[in-house]
Amino acid sequence: MELLIVSLASLLAGFVDSIVGGGGLILVPALFATFPATHPATLFGTNKGASVWGTAFATWHFSRRVEMRWAALLPAAGSGFVAAFAGAWLVTVVSPAYLRKVLPAVLLVVLIYTLLKKDLGRTHTPRFSGSKEAYVAAAIGAAIGFYDGFFGPGTGSFLVFLFVRLLGYDFLSASASAKLINTATNMAALILFAAKGHIWWHFVVAMALANVVGSLLGTRMALKHGAGFVRVVFIVVVSALILKTAYDAFLRQ
């Protein structure tokens, strides 16, 4: 029964995550509710073991239909991978607890900005090209990769927002690009958790398959309905993240 519950949660998480990020909002609480006595690191590692496959397949699916600016995205994925390792190491010596109270406010700023800028991310008009685009993308990858390794909630949404705001991508292209970076940061975390033995591989196989199915369904819907649809899902997911992170920071005992 536990495997069925977490696999269904993984399917739904893959669906949401493939569109705009935020799958952890579904899968991580499901794991903690199903296995309340388990060490958190094992649940986080199992989450990464499943979600990395969904983001990887979403990247592949998007790349067949959406322009992927590989010259900029590959350096961003590389910097994200390295920075995620650094963030994961830092969290072993410094507590990220102080970020819990700051995160809801940062997400609220992102939401308000997106709502006020009605045309934000509706058209794909990249601001940079060549090495300048690669440098900006790599900086985004490094910053959010470090954040993902150190703390994590909202990583996919932050990537989408920064690709739209700083690089001028539309929401669909930004979502596709974010999946590549998120795959790299998830892989870094997965390697770290695996090295420390914090993954339930017997659960990961079924959860990964479910996550991939959800991911493919989500990417098909995003490709079918375009940037406007992804923008709406982005607003919904960020709103949910604000509520969840605010509850965790201020109300949870």
Side-chain angles (χ1 to χ4, degrees):
M1 180 58 73
E2 289 90 352
L3 180 59
L4 177 61
I5 292 171
V6 295
S7 293
L8 289 174
S10 185
L11 188 148
L12 182 58
F15 178 82
V16 173
D17 205 51
S18 66
I19 299 174
V20 77
L25 188 67
I26 299 166
L27 185 51
V28 171
L31 285 166
F32 273 85
T34 307
F35 306 105
T38 302
H39 193 289
T42 299
L43 300 182
F44 284 127
T46 303
N47 168 61
K48 292 296 186 184
S51 61
V52 69
W53 294 100
T55 53
F57 270 85
T59 302
W60 169 76
H61 201 188
F62 272 125
S63 69
R64 300 170 64 200
R65 299 276 299 279
V66 176
E67 177 193 7
M68 299 288 284
R69 298 172 73 84
W70 296 108
L73 295 179
L74 291 178
S79 66
F81 182 89
V82 174
F85 259 117
W89 171 82
L90 184 63
V91 80
T92 65
V93 294
V94 177
S95 172
Y98 66 92
L99 286 177
R100 294 185 185 278
K101 296 185 184 300
V102 177
L103 183 58
V106 175
L107 288 166
L108 184 60
V109 170
V110 169
L111 177 62
I112 292 172
Y113 186 90
T114 304
L115 291 172
L116 290 177
K117 297 287 186 177
K118 302 293 185 183
D119 294 327
L120 183 71
R122 293 191 181 276
T123 59
H124 188 58
T125 52
R127 290 195 176 91
F128 310 111
S129 61
S131 59
K132 188 169 185 179
E133 184 179 25
Y135 288 138
V136 175
I140 293 172
I144 303 303
F146 182 84
Y147 168 79
D148 192 25
F150 184 63
F151 192 50
T155 294
S157 298
F158 283 133
L159 283 169
V160 170
F161 178 77
L162 291 174
F163 276 118
V164 169
R165 179 63 185 85
L166 298 182
L167 293 178
Y169 294 3
D170 65 26
F171 269 99
L172 183 61
S173 297
S175 180
S177 302
K179 295 299 162 291
L180 177 64
I181 316 307
N182 219 173
T183 299
T185 61
N186 281 343
M187 185 60 71
L190 178 62
I191 292 171
L192 187 68
F193 283 124
K196 292 182 175 293
H198 285 303
I199 296 180
W200 281 346
W201 293 108
H202 56 296
F203 276 94
V204 162
V205 174
M207 290 170 60
L209 289 172
N211 199 266
V212 168
V213 171
S215 175
L216 294 178
L217 291 173
T219 53
R220 285 187 179 184
M221 186 167 288
L223 289 167
K224 179 179 179 181
H225 296 288
F229 170 75
V230 177
R231 174 188 166 93
V232 171
V233 176
F234 175 82
I235 290 170
V236 171
V237 169
V238 171
S239 299
L241 279 167
I242 291 170
L243 295 175
K244 176 65 167 60
T245 55
Y247 172 78
D248 288 344
F250 301 106
L251 297 178
R252 175 175 285 179
Q253 298 300 320

